[in-house]
Amino acid sequence: MTIEFLLGLLGLIAVFMPVAASLVMGLLWLFGIELAEATIHRITATTFSISLAACLGILAAIVARPGASTIVTLAHWVVVPSYALEARFVFDLPAGVLMTLTALLCGLIGVFSAPYLHLDPGFRRFFVLLPLFAAGMMAIAAGDTLDLVYAGWEVVGIASALLIAYFNEREAPVRHGLRAFAVYRVCDVALLAAAVLMHHHAHDPSLGMGVRLEGGAGLTIALLLVFASMGKAAAFPFTGWLPRAMEGPTPSSAIFYGALSIHAGPFLLLRSWPLLAEHPIARGALIAIGVVTAIHATMVGRVQTDVKCLLGYASVTQAAVILVEIGLGWTGLALAHMTGHAILRTWQLLRAPSLLHDHHELVGLIGGGRPPRGTLWERMLPPRIQRWGYRIALERWFIDDLAANRLLASLTALFRGLDALDQRWVEAISGQRPEEVRR
Amino acid sequence: MSGSPVRVQLEPEAVLQSALEHARHLVPAQSPLDRFVHHNPLHAFEEEKFEEAVVHAARVYDNEPFWSEAAYQASYAEGRIWDVDLDDVLQRQVAPGLVAGVVERRELVRARLLSPIEPLSGESLSWHLTETDALEAARHDLSHEARARILAEAGGDEARAIKQLWRTCERFGASLGPPASTERPPGPRIRDRLMRAGLQDPDTMVAPLLIRWSGGFLDHGVAYWPMADRDLGFYRAFLAHFDQPLDLGRPWLSTLRTLVRRARQEEWPASRMCLHVLGQLGHAPGEWDAVVLDTLLALRGWSGMFQRLADRPDTAPERLDLPTDLCDVLAIRLALDLSAAEWLLRGRRGQTLVERCSELPDLPPEPSGTDRVWHLFQLAQILGLGGLTLAELGPARAGALLEASEGIGEIHRRQLWHSAYERRFRVEYLDAITLHAQRLLSEPEPEPEVRVQCSFCIDDREESLRRLLEEVAPWVETLGIAGNYGISMYYQGVEHGHPVALGPAGFEPRHLVIEQPVHGALQRSRWKGMLRHNLDVGSQTLLRGAMVTLGGMFSAVPLSLRLLAPKIHARLTRRDLPTQTTLLTEAHDDHMDHHGLAVGFTFEEKVEIVRETLELMSLVRGFAPLVVCLGHGSSSMNNPHEAAHDCGACGGGRGGPNARVFAKFANDPEVRRALARGGIHIPDQTWFVGGYHNTADDAVLMFDLDRVPAEHQALLGEIRDALDEARRLDALERCRKFENVPLDVSPEQALEHVENRDEDLAQPRPEYGHCTNALCLVGRRAWSKGLFLDRRAFLCSYDPDVDPDGQILSRLLAMAVPVGAGINLEYWFSVVDATGYGSGTKLPHNITGLVGVMDGHQSDLRTGLPWQMVELHEPVRLLCVVEASPQVLLEIASSNPDVGRLVTNGWVQLACLDPETGTLQLFDDGAFRPWEIENTTLPRVGSSLEWFRGTRGFLPPASITSTVEAS
């Protein structure tokens, strides 16, 4: 048994356990078979335990034989001359790391959520979406072709949106789920375009191989990938959906927005590093986006008064730093940073409802008084500027208002205009009023 | 002439102030989370009769007045309401008589209660008629007779019979006329006018902005950068921040910006802004009460928090002393409302806003209520009237029948259901108490020698521990007293960073007690705290955050450990605190600390505290050698409402220190000498021990055991063993309510389970708190001893023999009734309307500013109790049973307005127990009336364990006789 075979076998086990769990539980639910909470819990725990064991096996094999990697072509979806859509996985160090993170954190979240969501009407829904999300993350981690990554990318997006809208009896969660979904879709278009261009120019949508394309095609693809990663990473100016994603139950907020899906963007770029490396313009753009996002998020984060938004902006800040690291070519650092950040943030978000408990303990430890806060700003800036900066930070740099009241309002006006034009046109050629035509 | 402009100036101001005063009483009065104390959410309505008040308040707050009809019907199906209860309620509350010559009125009401008619009309009705079998088959819930009668008219052909009936109803339809409107009158705010015209809801624009700024203003330590200028008050701080250049993407704020500039230039106070905007919105002063109230209730949780911090700044998590006047909030909210309305009405005809408003269309409301033909059709089926019978009645009588049925409105039905529901509870428990008392009178139990007295808080959660302790150790006498033991203090323990208030919530303590280690000075682990704090804050910043998160992999260890083995992680991270400590309780020459608190208590105060407390628990003679006094509290993880599980008598604090201080005072020989002069003789060999019961993990701690005299050590060992056994059983009794604990666990496993549960991050139900509370017994323990009360009863010790003039009882009830009613009613309302009065599911709760929780990303501050705390609760009003004569009780009710109001207006139910005959009288409609029992037997079992083993749901009371057999 070669190490390549071993890698491939373990990798497929790791990837397909959550797929199977989600399918089985989803289908049973669809056909009206209600599993007991304890059974669902056991299935979830088993799934992620096996998946995690396989992931750790991959990491162990890579540690034993540094640089080992394998590519597994599972199936050809479409084959025509000079063109193929393949389900092709790559199992190497970065894939192993993200897969391990996914299995570990999703598993722990499963353990957490069973008692946390006990008796909640959405219990089953959550436990179908959790492995589905994990399956999407696995595809992003181990997908060798952009097509497969795209599939995973979409699954992660839809699972995220559905979990933000988990409490669908209230309006805000649904609205914010839709908002996240809309932002995802805008950025997904870029990923899809990148995949198409890759097929067109390189006849091989592989990420890992580092395609070298002549002329502007390479740069275009690189820029498209940077743009695609911005949605999931909540980069400026798309930051607004992330704090709003804190509508779901605490564990899903923790894993999705604190830990895993926010790193899907940086990971995509990490994977495409060979391509990015060739294009300083794309790297420059990436660094610029990272820097602006980091400044934006850290500034806005500092005035947040609720614990979940506070942690949400903290996550965006670090995801932006990771983008900068990738832009600078420090891919190893970026991978390590991603891992540490994902685990720490999950831990922090999971205990967010303990804020008061922890606060009292802290005050007890330091012996009274206020835990010290930032004073640099108070020492350095005149009060007028402080107030000004505070307002801008509290209003999140107005980006949400600009998007809603300017961009969307203009788009709506444009479409209304087009609609009116269309009606007049119909009237002109049919000689009837549009209302009559509709009837 | 000179007087008139002043009056014109003054008068609107006075109207505004009176409107604000009115609103101040109606916004929720919930304290910040770590001082959570249960209170009646409808405190402002206590002057009204309960049944009227809930309906009135439901209109004011747009909440539910009672449980839903479906919930009562489900209870009926589960046997929590019996037919006799409905009979009784109909008998009392519905006048007899024949309706339309067809049906007895009471039978009509009963039919409407038991057979719901779906409120369909318009589109929903046509869908229902075409898509369901409503026109082909009879209702599925018809009685046999009704069904047979209807079918008989069409020779047994169901479809034909039903069609025939429908046609008759339709035929009568023309003469029936339209139904009475069930529409609520339109709200008074500009927002309501815009909504009626089909425009965007301006609240969706205003609320996010106002929540952000309110959150910034009320933040007590979450944000890294606090808001500036908070000492100016919300209104001025807001103006200062908004009078700044640069505001992008928010064209709707242009009116606000103009207003802000003008208000700053002309130095308007907040009230001037309110008056200006109210004028602009065209509200006449007569409407202001309603407008101001509705405007403030739009974000009632936030408004309430402003008001609460203004009323009681000491309840803030940190003394920032923010000026939080409600007028400030109103001024900003009104200005924002105006700005949003101006924007939404831009470009419409009219000079002023009022003119533009008057031009708005008034869209007809969506049809609501029940279609009359449909109603008649359903009603006829329920009453067993077929098409022919109905046709014979003719349109006039059918119309009269329909009108009578329509007159039995939804709220009326729910009120009737509720009466029946509470009646079942009353019968179950009052009968049990009567039967138990009569058993005790007819076969008196031998009284074993009392070797230890053990006092607990009156809290319903201590009922089981007391009962189980008595079963385990018949030589223990238990007592119930409010868990603050007569002490109201700020207490700074070795684990505390600053003093915490431990005393009744009604007022702020004036004394300070400090705990100190016996050996050496207190070693604070300041560096540990600072490290943790810096890592935590650092992880949220940019550059430090990058460093911290790079090392974040290590948090995989605590993360996995806490989730997989909570107890082990808790043990590893537990703080190392000095084990031997002492309390500084002595006052030295009026020594005050820098907050103006008296450090310690004077000798006179100590004597007074001990005397009052002993009297209140009726322990003034017959002292046992050892008296154990337990306070209580609760600890849990990931629970923003942690303090709601703590001791209510300690104002949402943990009452161990109170018991400890009390025991210390009671052991003081000087104090005892002074008490003896007042007639209370505590024998020299009696020793008091203070302790603490954690109701979440069922741990029992005792303090100052090293000071217990040597001759008591053996007894101390015995009582500790007995308490250990009792708390294992208590854990087991609690576990039967936790659905994810198997029913067959052993007491040891149950204890292990609750210990884990209390440290579990993932556990939204660390304990069920006061869930299921319903009773309050005031009297000698003898009457309730050996009665299984299923953790539903507050138990106050009271001995009428030592209180001939009712003085002690008066003080006792003045404390117990409002506290018990506060807890009970908070649960009542949080169950009845879980998202209106309660705070909904706790899963998306998000702590903000250390003061409250929001739902998810941003919402109103949620008040009331989360669903997970109340899901098992049965909403019945507190039933107080007091061992006293009706005359004494009536006198107390008339002399003490706080108690009298609650009793006479029906916010609590009151009964009295006659110790001579063991019979009860129930206070009903202004007088005590004898209680007649319906049940004649009370189950007898050998032990509590035998009774509750293997069950989940509510258990009826039972008499436990093991104590007799054992002795």
PDB file of all heavy atoms in Angstrom, chain A residues 178-193:
ATOM      1  N   LEU A 178     -31.045  36.227   4.100  1.00  0.00           N
ATOM      2  CA  LEU A 178     -31.151  36.582   2.685  1.00  0.00           C
ATOM      3  C   LEU A 178     -30.019  37.533   2.289  1.00  0.00           C
ATOM      4  O   LEU A 178     -29.434  37.427   1.203  1.00  0.00           O
ATOM      5  CB  LEU A 178     -32.507  37.246   2.446  1.00  0.00           C
ATOM      6  CG  LEU A 178     -32.843  37.533   0.995  1.00  0.00           C
ATOM      7  CD1 LEU A 178     -32.950  36.229   0.222  1.00  0.00           C
ATOM      8  CD2 LEU A 178     -34.141  38.310   0.885  1.00  0.00           C
ATOM      9  N   ARG A 179     -29.703  38.436   3.195  1.00  0.00           N
ATOM     10  CA  ARG A 179     -28.646  39.399   2.902  1.00  0.00           C
ATOM     11  C   ARG A 179     -27.303  38.696   2.711  1.00  0.00           C
ATOM     12  O   ARG A 179     -26.578  38.955   1.739  1.00  0.00           O
ATOM     13  CB  ARG A 179     -28.550  40.378   4.062  1.00  0.00           C
ATOM     14  CG  ARG A 179     -27.578  41.493   3.812  1.00  0.00           C
ATOM     15  CD  ARG A 179     -27.348  42.273   5.092  1.00  0.00           C
ATOM     16  NE  ARG A 179     -26.454  43.387   4.829  1.00  0.00           N
ATOM     17  CZ  ARG A 179     -26.839  44.648   4.812  1.00  0.00           C
ATOM     18  NH1 ARG A 179     -28.078  44.959   5.032  1.00  0.00           N
ATOM     19  NH2 ARG A 179     -25.956  45.602   4.564  1.00  0.00           N
ATOM     20  N   ALA A 180     -27.013  37.773   3.637  1.00  0.00           N
ATOM     21  CA  ALA A 180     -25.762  37.019   3.515  1.00  0.00           C
ATOM     22  C   ALA A 180     -25.759  36.264   2.188  1.00  0.00           C
ATOM     23  O   ALA A 180     -24.766  36.243   1.458  1.00  0.00           O
ATOM     24  CB  ALA A 180     -25.616  36.056   4.687  1.00  0.00           C
ATOM     25  N   PHE A 181     -26.885  35.656   1.873  1.00  0.00           N
ATOM     26  CA  PHE A 181     -26.985  34.882   0.644  1.00  0.00           C
ATOM     27  C   PHE A 181     -26.746  35.777  -0.571  1.00  0.00           C
ATOM     28  O   PHE A 181     -26.029  35.391  -1.517  1.00  0.00           O
ATOM     29  CB  PHE A 181     -28.370  34.237   0.576  1.00  0.00           C
ATOM     30  CG  PHE A 181     -28.501  33.221  -0.511  1.00  0.00           C
ATOM     31  CD1 PHE A 181     -27.724  32.077  -0.488  1.00  0.00           C
ATOM     32  CD2 PHE A 181     -29.393  33.405  -1.554  1.00  0.00           C
ATOM     33  CE1 PHE A 181     -27.834  31.130  -1.491  1.00  0.00           C
ATOM     34  CE2 PHE A 181     -29.507  32.472  -2.557  1.00  0.00           C
ATOM     35  CZ  PHE A 181     -28.730  31.325  -2.527  1.00  0.00           C
ATOM     36  N   ALA A 182     -27.315  36.984  -0.538  1.00  0.00           N
ATOM     37  CA  ALA A 182     -27.147  37.899  -1.673  1.00  0.00           C
ATOM     38  C   ALA A 182     -25.688  38.285  -1.844  1.00  0.00           C
ATOM     39  O   ALA A 182     -25.149  38.281  -2.965  1.00  0.00           O
ATOM     40  CB  ALA A 182     -28.007  39.143  -1.455  1.00  0.00           C
ATOM     41  N   VAL A 183     -25.018  38.594  -0.737  1.00  0.00           N
ATOM     42  CA  VAL A 183     -23.596  38.958  -0.826  1.00  0.00           C
ATOM     43  C   VAL A 183     -22.793  37.787  -1.378  1.00  0.00           C
ATOM     44  O   VAL A 183     -21.946  37.940  -2.265  1.00  0.00           O
ATOM     45  CB  VAL A 183     -23.058  39.384   0.561  1.00  0.00           C
ATOM     46  CG1 VAL A 183     -21.556  39.540   0.530  1.00  0.00           C
ATOM     47  CG2 VAL A 183     -23.720  40.663   1.002  1.00  0.00           C
ATOM     48  N   TYR A 184     -23.091  36.592  -0.873  1.00  0.00           N
ATOM     49  CA  TYR A 184     -22.412  35.397  -1.363  1.00  0.00           C
ATOM     50  C   TYR A 184     -22.593  35.267  -2.878  1.00  0.00           C
ATOM     51  O   TYR A 184     -21.659  35.002  -3.613  1.00  0.00           O
ATOM     52  CB  TYR A 184     -22.984  34.150  -0.685  1.00  0.00           C
ATOM     53  CG  TYR A 184     -22.477  33.882   0.713  1.00  0.00           C
ATOM     54  CD1 TYR A 184     -21.551  34.717   1.334  1.00  0.00           C
ATOM     55  CD2 TYR A 184     -22.921  32.773   1.419  1.00  0.00           C
ATOM     56  CE1 TYR A 184     -21.101  34.450   2.619  1.00  0.00           C
ATOM     57  CE2 TYR A 184     -22.472  32.497   2.702  1.00  0.00           C
ATOM     58  CZ  TYR A 184     -21.565  33.352   3.293  1.00  0.00           C
ATOM     59  OH  TYR A 184     -21.118  33.071   4.553  1.00  0.00           O
ATOM     60  N   ARG A 185     -23.834  35.470  -3.315  1.00  0.00           N
ATOM     61  CA  ARG A 185     -24.110  35.265  -4.743  1.00  0.00           C
ATOM     62  C   ARG A 185     -23.325  36.240  -5.601  1.00  0.00           C
ATOM     63  O   ARG A 185     -22.786  35.866  -6.650  1.00  0.00           O
ATOM     64  CB  ARG A 185     -25.611  35.438  -5.049  1.00  0.00           C
ATOM     65  CG  ARG A 185     -26.530  34.478  -4.399  1.00  0.00           C
ATOM     66  CD  ARG A 185     -26.152  33.059  -4.617  1.00  0.00           C
ATOM     67  NE  ARG A 185     -25.836  32.762  -5.998  1.00  0.00           N
ATOM     68  CZ  ARG A 185     -26.019  31.592  -6.582  1.00  0.00           C
ATOM     69  NH1 ARG A 185     -26.536  30.604  -5.902  1.00  0.00           N
ATOM     70  NH2 ARG A 185     -25.689  31.407  -7.824  1.00  0.00           N
ATOM     71  N   VAL A 186     -23.270  37.493  -5.158  1.00  0.00           N
ATOM     72  CA  VAL A 186     -22.541  38.492  -5.941  1.00  0.00           C
ATOM     73  C   VAL A 186     -21.097  38.035  -6.121  1.00  0.00           C
ATOM     74  O   VAL A 186     -20.532  38.067  -7.216  1.00  0.00           O
ATOM     75  CB  VAL A 186     -22.601  39.866  -5.233  1.00  0.00           C
ATOM     76  CG1 VAL A 186     -21.605  40.832  -5.838  1.00  0.00           C
ATOM     77  CG2 VAL A 186     -24.013  40.426  -5.300  1.00  0.00           C
ATOM     78  N   CYS A 187     -20.509  37.548  -5.037  1.00  0.00           N
ATOM     79  CA  CYS A 187     -19.107  37.152  -5.115  1.00  0.00           C
ATOM     80  C   CYS A 187     -18.939  35.796  -5.799  1.00  0.00           C
ATOM     81  O   CYS A 187     -17.908  35.536  -6.423  1.00  0.00           O
ATOM     82  CB  CYS A 187     -18.506  37.125  -3.719  1.00  0.00           C
ATOM     83  SG  CYS A 187     -18.488  38.762  -2.989  1.00  0.00           S
ATOM     84  N   ASP A 188     -19.951  34.953  -5.691  1.00  0.00           N
ATOM     85  CA  ASP A 188     -19.870  33.639  -6.340  1.00  0.00           C
ATOM     86  C   ASP A 188     -19.780  33.762  -7.854  1.00  0.00           C
ATOM     87  O   ASP A 188     -19.169  32.916  -8.519  1.00  0.00           O
ATOM     88  CB  ASP A 188     -21.105  32.794  -6.004  1.00  0.00           C
ATOM     89  CG  ASP A 188     -21.129  32.405  -4.548  1.00  0.00           C
ATOM     90  OD1 ASP A 188     -20.114  32.666  -3.872  1.00  0.00           O
ATOM     91  OD2 ASP A 188     -22.150  31.863  -4.093  1.00  0.00           O
ATOM     92  N   VAL A 189     -20.399  34.812  -8.373  1.00  0.00           N
ATOM     93  CA  VAL A 189     -20.355  35.017  -9.818  1.00  0.00           C
ATOM     94  C   VAL A 189     -18.898  35.073 -10.281  1.00  0.00           C
ATOM     95  O   VAL A 189     -18.531  34.511 -11.310  1.00  0.00           O
ATOM     96  CB  VAL A 189     -21.098  36.313 -10.202  1.00  0.00           C
ATOM     97  CG1 VAL A 189     -20.872  36.656 -11.652  1.00  0.00           C
ATOM     98  CG2 VAL A 189     -22.572  36.173  -9.906  1.00  0.00           C
ATOM     99  N   ALA A 190     -18.069  35.717  -9.468  1.00  0.00           N
ATOM    100  CA  ALA A 190     -16.660  35.835  -9.835  1.00  0.00           C
ATOM    101  C   ALA A 190     -15.990  34.464  -9.854  1.00  0.00           C
ATOM    102  O   ALA A 190     -15.169  34.166 -10.728  1.00  0.00           O
ATOM    103  CB  ALA A 190     -15.954  36.764  -8.845  1.00  0.00           C
ATOM    104  N   LEU A 191     -16.357  33.635  -8.877  1.00  0.00           N
ATOM    105  CA  LEU A 191     -15.735  32.310  -8.830  1.00  0.00           C
ATOM    106  C   LEU A 191     -16.154  31.487 -10.041  1.00  0.00           C
ATOM    107  O   LEU A 191     -15.343  30.798 -10.672  1.00  0.00           O
ATOM    108  CB  LEU A 191     -16.137  31.590  -7.536  1.00  0.00           C
ATOM    109  CG  LEU A 191     -15.423  30.267  -7.282  1.00  0.00           C
ATOM    110  CD1 LEU A 191     -13.926  30.462  -7.208  1.00  0.00           C
ATOM    111  CD2 LEU A 191     -15.935  29.622  -6.002  1.00  0.00           C
ATOM    112  N   LEU A 192     -17.430  31.595 -10.368  1.00  0.00           N
ATOM    113  CA  LEU A 192     -17.931  30.867 -11.522  1.00  0.00           C
ATOM    114  C   LEU A 192     -17.214  31.352 -12.786  1.00  0.00           C
ATOM    115  O   LEU A 192     -16.760  30.549 -13.615  1.00  0.00           O
ATOM    116  CB  LEU A 192     -19.438  31.090 -11.640  1.00  0.00           C
ATOM    117  CG  LEU A 192     -20.155  30.242 -12.677  1.00  0.00           C
ATOM    118  CD1 LEU A 192     -20.032  28.777 -12.308  1.00  0.00           C
ATOM    119  CD2 LEU A 192     -21.623  30.636 -12.761  1.00  0.00           C
ATOM    120  N   ALA A 193     -17.086  32.679 -12.906  1.00  0.00           N
ATOM    121  CA  ALA A 193     -16.409  33.244 -14.079  1.00  0.00           C
ATOM    122  C   ALA A 193     -14.961  32.767 -14.136  1.00  0.00           C
ATOM    123  O   ALA A 193     -14.448  32.409 -15.211  1.00  0.00           O
ATOM    124  CB  ALA A 193     -16.457  34.774 -14.015  1.00  0.00           C
TER     125      ALA A 193
END
